[in-house]
Amino acid sequence: DAGVTQSPTHLIKTRGQHVTLRCSPISGHKSVSWYQQVLGQGPQFIFQYYEKEERGRGNFPDRFSARQFPNYSSELNVNALLLGDSALYLCASTFTGTGYTFGSGTRLTVV
Amino acid sequence: AQSVTQPDIHITVSEGASLELRCNYSYGATPYLFWYVQSPGQGLQLLLKYFSGDTLVQGIKGFEAEFKRSQSSFNLRKPSVHWSDAAEYFCAHAVDDYKLSFGAGTTVTVRA
């Protein structure tokens, strides 16, 4: 079975631009979470979606938004990019009792 | 407020020696606790998890962790470290039933 897949793996954007990151969960997992990991720190929770509904949101500005599709894949959108948005963005899928499985992440660099 | 504390930022250990990484949590009556490992530029790999039951948990790659409620700790151990264990290790705690709160991480360096 494929694990959690994220795309793209790397991208470079300019300040003020918009970016969309994508995630496909493990087959059968209905919950997807997004985390931001700034260099040298632990991951910080951004969103969780379950059955296409937002279950929780971390302490991030409204420039960050997400959605989950009927096939349980998810997109994270960030508008008006700032230099401080440069980070590794991690997606995790989960099924009750199994813990959280993470993808390899998308490395976003804002210049 | 920080719910997971990893007191050691960096640990250096000789190959073949034992390793213990500390983790303290501060939230929740029934903690769901995890240890993840991250190699440079990579995602997080789950080493082990504790939900309930036996307080000594076995994981992958020869790691184990012990949950001690009285000390609010969930320390990770490995009896004999291999060079491939050099990585960053994160302890995490499930909070509010839907999100993980991570510690700041411990970087492990293995010397020959």
Side-chain angles (χ1 to χ4, degrees), chain A residues 62-79:
Chain A
D62 292 343
R63 299 185 295 107
F64 288 77
S65 63
R67 55 179 176 168
Q68 187 176 32
F69 299 98
N71 66 354
Y72 303 110
S73 68
S74 177
E75 283 183 354
L76 175 69
N77 295 283
V78 186
N79 293 323

Side-chain angles (χ1 to χ4, degrees), chain A residues 33 35 37 40-43 45 48 55-57 88 90 97-105 107, chain B residues 34 36 38 41-46 49 51 88 90 94 96-105:
Chain A
S33 303
Y35 290 79
Q37 186 180 21
Q41 298 181 18
F45 172 77
Q48 190 192 63
R55 289 192 69 196
R57 181 188 183 110
L88 180 67
L90 296 163
T98 65
Y100 298 76
T101 303
F102 284 82
S104 297
R107 172 71 62 187
Chain B
F34 307 83
Y36 287 88
Q38 186 177 38
Q42 299 298 310
L44 300 170
Q45 182 181 24
L46 179 66
K49 60 183 183 287
F51 287 175
E88 182 128 26
F90 292 96
D96 296 333
D97 199 33
Y98 63 83
K99 66 181 180 182
L100 291 179
S101 177
F102 284 86

